[in-house]
Amino acid sequence: MPLFSGRCYSNVKLAGKTAIVTGCNTGIGKETVLDFYKRGAKVIMACRNIDKAEAAKNDIEQTCKDLPEKGDLVVEKCDLTSLKSVREFSKKILDTEPYVNILVNNAGVMMCPKGVTEDGFETQFGTNHLGHFLLTMLLLPCIKNSTPARIVTVSSAAYIRNDINFDDLNYEKRNYNAGEAYSQSKLANILFSRELAAKLKAHNIEGVNTYSLHPGVIRTELGRHMDEMLFKGARRIVGALFYPFFKSPELGAQTTIYCAVDEKCANETGLYYSDCVVKNLNRRGLNDESAKKLWEKSVELVKLDFDPFTAVHSGVASK
């Protein structure tokens, strides 16, 4: 257990609320679903691998079988490496769900070998940022109807290492560096969350708050590519050296849960958290020019063809 780890102590119940968590068949995503389920929420598990998600769902239900006032768990296909999949998932949600009170952009890949998504984007930038950007924009008309609502994006302290290279987002002109690409995608998460808060305010949309966070260094499958990118046995060696500082998935999920439910941050938006408290961002995370440029570029890359801030939810919520 790490020397210090923040915890969410809120007893808030989520009965009647709907939450969406991406990438939640394992790790901190699964722990987040477990927490929301215990609080009584309907939790939509948006995952790429349906079989693994169903297994996680069954495990959570079995763990909580004797607990009262549980929520409901629903597994839906959502592959963040495919904008088509994100659009299909979002359409289904808009057609069937009257409200989305909590959106947790949790899914991610870390330090993977060079590759591209289905749409031709560098894997980490395309998955960690662009997939979640499109998902959030498509669901925003529904989220606006679900206030108070929160949009929580899981980033990383690794954002501090590199700026975003807008001239070569997909590493077509430079040598690929997995760590640098990961840092770029995590900085994008923070800038997106901050710019989203600014745009919501500019459109006089109240009751929708945004949060980005560093979950800590966690014992999960996220580092599974370390042996490929560094050397055979690297993951085991790093794990042994830094074990005292690693969090369990349960502890690693605490800041996500805090941002999603805790009363203490209910009136905060656009901020960055670690160990359940607000943390100061460095110059990269506070660069408003980069945030605006990233937003414009993201709209272009995902081919967003409507204004989510003025769009009206035309699904079940309006009927």
Side-chain angles (χ1 to χ4, degrees):
M1 180 175 176
L3 298 176
F4 174 78
S5 183
R7 272 194 174 275
C8 176
Y9 293 103
S10 172
N11 293 317
V12 164
K13 298 298 182 183
L14 297 176
K17 306 291 186 181
T18 297
I20 296 175
V21 183
T22 66
C24 54
N25 62 276
T26 188
I28 64 174
K30 182 180 177 183
E31 292 292 338
T32 301
V33 171
L34 172 63
D35 181 274
F36 293 172
Y37 179 61
K38 287 180 177 179
R39 295 176 188 268
K42 176 180 181 180
V43 189
I44 299 171
M45 303 173 66
C47 296
R48 179 173 60 180
N49 189 310
I50 293 295
D51 291 339
K52 290 182 178 180
E54 287 288 356
K57 172 180 178 286
N58 293 337
D59 183 52
I60 292 171
E61 290 174 335
Q62 184 63 27
T63 299
C64 301
K65 64 180 180 179
D66 297 323
L67 296 180
E69 302 178 338
K70 300 183 294 292
D72 186 29
L73 298 180
V74 179
V75 170
E76 295 289 357
K77 173 85 170 182
C78 184
D79 183 351
L80 274 297
T81 69
S82 164
L83 298 185
K84 178 183 177 183
S85 177
V86 172
R87 291 182 186 278
E88 289 173 347
F89 168 80
S90 300
K91 183 179 186 305
K92 187 168 186 179
I93 296 301
L94 294 175
D95 287 345
T96 58
E97 298 298 327
Y99 307 108
V100 174
N101 307 96
I102 300 170
L103 171 61
V104 178
N105 293 320
N106 169 80
V109 290
M110 183 179 79
M111 292 183 65
C112 56
K114 185 178 182 180
V116 295
T117 66
E118 179 180 286
D119 303 278
F121 306 121
E122 186 276 316
T123 301
Q124 297 184 84
F125 186 76
T127 305
N128 298 350
H129 170 62
L130 289 177
H132 282 129
F133 175 85
L134 179 60
L135 176 66
T136 306
M137 294 300 95
L138 294 175
L139 294 180
L140 192 58
C142 180
I143 295 172
K144 290 188 301 178
N145 282 359
S146 311
T147 56
R150 305 190 192 189
I151 300 169
V152 181
T153 302
V154 179
S155 181
S156 167
Y159 85 89
I160 65 173
R161 296 174 189 158
N162 299 96
D163 286 311
I164 295 176
N165 188 328
F166 289 102
D167 294 324
D168 190 21
L169 289 171
N170 296 313
Y171 285 84
E172 296 167 331
K173 304 173 185 176
R174 54 185 165 147
N175 291 331
Y176 180 71
N177 181 301
E180 181 182 273
Y182 179 68
S183 175
Q184 174 176 257
S185 73
K186 294 290 102 177
L187 175 57
N189 289 153
I190 291 170
L191 295 178
F192 162 57
S193 184
R194 291 185 68 247
E195 184 65 11
L196 176 55
K199 290 191 179 301
L200 287 166
K201 181 179 180 180
H203 285 84
N204 297 313
I205 297 171
E206 299 180 350
V208 180
N209 292 348
T210 76
Y211 310 79
S212 63
L213 65 100
H214 170 57
V217 183
I218 305 155
R219 297 190 296 275
T220 71
E221 296 179 1
L222 199 58
R224 59 187 177 276
H225 298 295
M226 200 172 290
D227 283 1
E228 300 172 60
M229 299 310 299
L230 298 177
F231 55 87
K232 188 175 181 180
R235 186 181 181 188
R236 178 176 55 80
I237 293 171
V238 170
L241 288 174
F242 292 96
Y243 185 84
F245 305 98
F246 281 8
K247 293 182 180 181
S248 66
E250 187 265 337
L251 285 178
Q254 293 303 304
T255 305
T256 299
I257 296 165
Y258 173 84
C259 291
V261 308
D262 204 292
E263 308 94 323
K264 290 191 289 293
C265 61
N267 296 316
E268 298 172 351
T269 189
L271 302 179
Y272 171 74
Y273 300 76
S274 180
D275 285 315
C276 301
V277 295
V278 176
K279 295 291 185 180
N280 292 327
L281 289 162
N282 79 346
R283 62 170 182 80
R284 292 188 171 98
L286 294 172
N287 192 323
D288 292 335
E289 182 180 345
S290 288
K292 289 178 173 60
K293 189 171 183 178
L294 174 67
W295 189 281
E296 293 169 0
K297 191 66 177 177
S298 300
V299 167
E300 173 192 334
L301 292 175
V302 304
K303 297 180 172 60
L304 193 68
D305 56 2
F306 75 106
D307 184 350
F309 298 98
T310 59
V312 176
H313 180 32
S314 58
V316 294
S318 62
K319 296 179 180 177

